[in-house]
Each structure stands twice: as structure tokens, then as C-alpha cells.
Amino acid sequence: MNWLSDNVNLLSLIGAAAIIIITGFVAGKYIKQMKTDKSTGELTGDDWDGIGEYKNPLPMGWAIMFLLTTIWAIWYFLAGYPLNAYSQIGEYNEEVQAYNDRFESKWSNADKETLKQMGKGVFFVQCAPCHGITGDGINGKAQDLTAWATEDFIVHTIVNGTKGSNYPLGEMPAGLLDEESAKAVAAYMVEKISKTGQSKNPDLVATGEALWATCSACHGEDGKGMEGSAPDLTTYGHAEFVVEVLNRGKVGVIGNMPAFNDGRLTGIQKQAVGEYILSLTE
Amino acid sequence: MFHWLEKNPFFFAVGVFVVIAYAGIVEILPDFAERARPVEGRKPYTVLQLAGRDVYIKDSCNACHSQLIRPFKSETDRYGMYSLSGEFAYDRPFLWGSKRTGPDLMRVGNYRTTDWHENHMLDPTSIVPGSIMPAYKHMFNNVADIETAYAEAYTVKKVFNVPYDQPDMPKLGTWDEAQKAVLEEAKPIVEAMKSQEVKEAYARGEIKEIVAIIAYLNSLK
């Protein structure tokens, strides 16, 4: 009898047995009383269809409890409830505040791998409905993130232009350079501006540097975007760039991506989802 | 002490009523006086949004979708800020719903867009594999009932003093003005859509139900 070793089960059983026994005794007592008792005492004189009422004084304990409860009720109605009612919103605010503080202190120095794992969860909830579970953009319905922010994608951006994130400089026009020159600029950008690693075409870096003037008109000599007039390309290919996209949203050629600036994601979560989607191109 | 009450059912009933009504006064009236007022910045629905809301009700979206975010972290993480009673001030009837077969839609305008809705309403599984939400292809054929929506807005304006036509509030105007305003409001939505059928209908001056419901969903913030 394994389940008897559980305290709660044992106590419940003992309790149940006690209740049955006590019920038996009490019921027995009253049944006997009903058989033998005769009614005596003074009646109040009220008569409800043949049923009368004894003049019994209130039991003292009961009367005191009744009075106390009444006093408490008056206090509760007039002051207790109206003045310091429980607030679900208040409790929510406190809980969330405490949670966010803990979250912040626990993950503020998280490494890339941890962020990536966290970002994966965020991605499935917030981004997958549009970008697809694998991030492929569901047949062109949103940006294909498995091919985004790569060197080839920079070429694609230069040739086709881009728009929709509401920068003061507006759109980046299509056809700034032909495909060959674009490749060179992309090589230069990868190695010298955004510094995401080795270019596929290292021999083109020098050519790209010479052509960078086309871009510096808007993005600045250093690629930093001239104080917010255009995107800061030194962050391109890093999570910071994704955070910027999330803060701004994008009404582009493919479709309309809403901004994530209503507090659903914390800064760390945005960073995390950035790390995750950038890992999709690897 | 209260012996006479027992013999006078009428006064007994009055006594019971007073006790219960007091609780009502303490618990309900403060909410009516304050929290149920429209929150600042809340505006009544435009005619096009109302037409979309009617489609929402007609097609029973509220059977599967709630519009009420509770103050729990798990909900606010996913849907955004919890709901306040003042946010429902212009909802007649409110569409809180009672069951979440699908996700809450109270603030879906913050994180879904026109093109997404178009794809999703046409064929939910093309976007969300395994979605059990029905496709609403007929919305691309049916014409939205703008007239009823206008009548609704007009009625609540006259009867309940809903603040149409006031500074910073949606304009209602005459029926002719309203029709123009509806076409104007529908324009960016139609432009963001792909369906040729919807665009052609718009060129003829017709607004399909899908346009109205997207206008409504986009307004949910």
C-alpha cells in the first residue's frame, strides 16, 4: 500500500474516518432526542400556519460575533474597500518590474550563444508568422532572412535600392551602380565598413574603396550614416542593425513590417533576435 | 429589534435591496464615473472601420478570437499592453469574446499589416502551417455595407453623443461626405493589397469586405 506512505493521503483518510464516526454519534443523539423530547418553554405568540417560535435569548457568543461582523462590514464598506482595494494592475506592475529587473541583471552580459538561443524563442513567437519558421520569408511574403545582410545581399540592395524605414534621406534609389561595381563596393563594405569578416572577393576591396564615394554621399565617408540621415552601415550584419530595423519597421518593396516599439520586446530581446536571425545565413 | 420587519415582507425586501445596492454603489459606480470613460486619445471608429467591425461580427471572428488582454506578463509579452476599460468606450457591442481558439486581437494592428492580413484571410495555412482558422475568400467578393455602418455611426452620434465631427475626432458629416471619406481611407489599404479583383472594384467605387475588415484590424491598437 504505497499510497498510504503519503502524509496527505493518510491524513485525509483519518479525517474521513473521524467525520464518519462523529456524524454517526451526533445523528444518533439527535434521532434519540427526537423520539423522546417534549417541547417546553414560553412561546413568542407568533403563529406561522401552525408553527410557533420559542422565546429563546440570543446565545451570547453568537450575538457578539454578529455585532463584530456588522461593525467590520460597516468599516469595510465605508473605508476598507473603497480606500485600499486590492489592485490587480498594481500587482501586475510590481511583478513585471521585479521580473524585468531580474531579467536585465541576469542577461545584460550574456554571450552570443545564449543570446542566439533566447532570440530563437522570440523569433518563433514574434517573427515567424511573417518570416516563416525557417526565416525564409514564406515565398516572398516577407524578407528572406536566410539570405539577408550577406555580401550578395548588399549587391542586391545596391542594384535594386531599398526604402521604407523612414530615414530623413528617404529612399535609396535603384541602379546606383552596375552589378560588377556593386560587387566591389560590397567587398569593401564587408571588410572595411561593417567588418563582418572576410570578403568573397578580396581582390575587389581596393576597387570598392574607390567607388565608395557613391555611397558616402548619403551614408557618410565612414559609413556611419551622417548622424541618422541614413542607416549606420558600420552596424550592418550585426545585431545592432536589426535592433534599428525593429525600432523603425519597414514599408518596403516586399511588404510592410511593423515597428516593434510598443514595449513587447526589451532591448536585450531585440539584440537576441538579431543574433539569431544573423545566424540563419551561416 | 427587527421583529416588525419579519411581518412586513415589503419593508424586508426594501431593506435587502438597500444592503445589496450599497455594495453596488461602492463597487460599480466608481468605475462608471472614472475608469469607463474613454481613455485619452481614444477615438470612435470611422465609417470604414465600423463596416469592417460589422464584417467581424457577421463572420463570427469573435467566436475564436478575444479582444481583451489581461494583466498577466505572459499575455502582455505576446500581445502588448493590457486592456483598460476606457478603451472599450466606443465599442457597441464590445467584442471581448470568451474563448481563444486563435490569439487575442485587441492590438493586432501593432504587429500585423495589410499585406499580411490579405494573405492570411485568403488562405491562413499558406502563412501559418497547420492553422485551423477558416479561409475567408468570400470577403474578396462581397461588397462592404457602408450604408449600415454610416447609419450606425450616425445613430450613436445622435443617441449617445459619441463625439463624431468634433475637433480631432473622426468626421462623419453627411452621407455623401462620408462616402468620399470612406473611399479616401480605403485607398492606402487597396494600394497595399495584391488582389486585382479588389483593386478593380475600388476603381469602380466599390469597397470589398476584405478592405473594410483590414481597416478595422489595422485600427486595433
Side-chain angles (χ1 to χ4, degrees):
Chain A
M1 295 262 268
N2 227 350
W3 50 275
L4 265 190
S5 61
D6 181 14
N7 282 346
V8 175
N9 285 347
L10 194 63
L11 273 178
S12 309
L13 265 185
I14 294 174
I19 288 174
I20 291 174
I21 293 169
I22 294 172
T23 309
F25 275 112
V26 173
K29 172 177 180 280
Y30 279 113
I31 289 170
K32 212 159 110 203
Q33 200 173 339
M34 274 154 64
K35 281 185 191 151
T36 57
D37 241 18
K38 287 267 168 314
S39 52
T40 52
E42 199 183 337
L43 286 171
T44 56
D46 288 325
D47 181 53
W48 288 286
D49 296 339
I51 300 172
E53 187 187 352
Y54 287 121
K55 254 192 189 152
N56 282 337
L58 279 180
M60 201 52 177
W62 192 93
I64 290 173
M65 284 313 292
F66 181 72
L67 261 177
L68 286 181
T69 317
T70 310
I71 292 168
W72 175 84
I74 290 171
W75 169 82
Y76 184 74
F77 275 162
L78 289 179
Y81 178 80
L83 297 187
N84 49 31
Y86 163 77
S87 156
Q88 192 182 18
I89 302 285
E91 182 174 331
Y92 165 86
N93 287 340
E94 279 166 22
E95 246 176 54
V96 169
Q97 182 66 40
Y99 180 87
N100 286 348
D101 290 348
R102 246 183 304 134
F103 187 88
E104 204 72 25
S105 64
K106 183 162 178 195
W107 301 113
S108 56
N109 293 315
D111 59 26
K112 253 191 169 140
E113 198 47 43
T114 317
L115 284 176
K116 223 185 275 175
Q117 286 308 318
M118 183 195 295
K120 194 171 178 179
V122 175
F123 184 83
F124 284 147
V125 176
Q126 301 287 3
C127 323
C130 295
H131 288 280
I133 290 167
T134 55
D136 63 356
I138 321 181
N139 304 325
K141 293 190 179 75
Q143 183 63 255
D144 177 358
L145 297 175
T146 60
W148 181 74
T150 58
E151 191 170 343
D152 290 339
F153 191 77
I154 300 176
V155 176
H156 172 89
T157 303
I158 299 173
V159 173
N160 295 292
T162 183
K163 64 172 181 179
S165 284
N166 221 350
Y167 282 93
L169 278 173
E171 298 185 15
M172 168 162 155
L176 278 175
L177 295 169
D178 60 42
E179 180 120 13
E180 276 317 302
S181 322
K183 268 189 185 147
V185 172
Y188 171 70
M189 208 181 116
V190 165
E191 292 220 341
K192 297 289 186 292
I193 301 288
S194 48
K195 305 200 178 90
T196 39
Q198 291 277 305
S199 162
K200 294 196 294 195
N201 307 309
D203 46 322
L204 290 179
V205 173
T207 330
E209 181 162 17
L211 288 165
W212 182 251
T214 326
C215 320
S216 61
C218 295
H219 292 284
E221 200 54 51
D222 53 4
K224 281 198 193 312
M226 310 210 293
E227 272 127 39
S229 309
D232 177 356
L233 296 182
T234 60
T235 63
Y236 194 77
H238 303 279
E240 288 75 21
F241 193 87
V242 181
V243 175
E244 196 60 26
V245 171
L246 292 181
N247 287 338
R248 289 174 170 269
K250 191 169 173 94
V251 189
V253 180
I254 305 173
N256 187 342
M257 161 149 158
F260 281 79
N261 49 12
D262 62 346
R264 260 174 307 145
L265 296 181
T266 65
I268 293 174
Q269 284 174 317
K270 286 181 190 168
Q271 188 86 15
V273 78
E275 293 292 353
Y276 175 69
I277 62 173
L278 289 170
S279 75
L280 293 175
T281 52
E282 281 161 10
Chain B
M1 182 168 49
F2 294 113
H3 200 221
W4 63 275
L5 264 186
E6 291 178 13
K7 292 185 179 163
N8 288 287
F10 175 74
F11 289 107
F12 194 85
V14 170
V16 168
F17 177 78
V18 168
V19 170
I20 294 179
Y22 183 78
I25 289 170
V26 171
E27 303 233 356
I28 300 171
L29 274 194
D31 266 354
F32 263 63
E34 227 188 273
R35 271 171 269 174
R37 298 243 161 266
V39 293
E40 211 167 302
R42 197 82 190 164
K43 294 179 178 173
Y45 295 104
T46 64
V47 175
L48 183 62
Q49 289 162 2
L50 267 182
R53 198 167 187 276
D54 291 344
V55 177
Y56 187 96
I57 296 170
K58 184 174 76 172
D59 280 315
S60 279
C61 311
N62 51 321
C64 288
H65 291 285
S66 61
Q67 284 190 26
L68 187 121
I69 304 169
R70 296 171 293 179
F72 302 141
K73 188 156 193 310
S74 52
E75 298 212 354
T76 52
D77 273 359
R78 176 158 177 194
Y79 303 123
M81 160 83 172
Y82 51 79
S83 309
L84 301 171
S85 40
E87 292 183 287
F88 302 103
Y90 300 121
D91 278 17
R92 285 170 214 275
F94 62 79
L95 296 171
W96 295 338
S98 55
K99 184 166 178 291
R100 282 186 187 158
T101 303
D104 189 275
L105 298 181
M106 171 96 195
R107 303 194 196 283
V108 71
N110 282 337
Y111 50 90
R112 295 287 177 266
T113 50
T114 301
D115 48 329
W116 192 89
H117 288 307
E118 181 182 12
N119 294 325
H120 186 247
M121 297 305 273
L122 196 61
D123 182 8
T125 48
S126 74
I127 313 245
V128 184
S131 170
I132 56 162
M133 171 157 150
Y136 286 89
K137 293 197 170 62
H138 59 271
M139 288 186 188
F140 290 76
N141 297 320
N142 293 358
V143 177
D145 188 352
I146 304 296
E147 214 165 344
T148 302
Y150 177 79
E152 250 175 77
Y154 188 78
T155 309
V156 292
K157 180 188 168 191
K158 289 287 167 203
V159 180
F160 299 117
N161 274 330
V162 170
Y164 285 107
D165 293 323
Q166 289 179 12
D168 286 337
M169 288 291 172
K171 214 170 141 28
L172 195 54
T174 64
W175 168 230
D176 285 331
E177 286 168 341
Q179 277 172 297
K180 278 205 202 79
V182 164
L183 282 173
E184 196 56 38
E185 192 187 341
K187 198 170 172 192
I189 298 174
V190 174
E191 274 167 5
M193 289 177 65
K194 284 194 291 283
S195 163
Q196 224 36 54
E197 209 182 332
V198 169
K199 286 183 198 281
E200 279 161 19
Y202 180 79
R204 290 195 303 271
E206 263 175 27
I207 303 220
K208 297 290 191 188
E209 283 184 348
I210 185 74
V211 178
I213 195 152
I214 290 178
Y216 173 61
L217 292 172
N218 285 345
S219 78
L220 295 175
K221 288 194 170 166

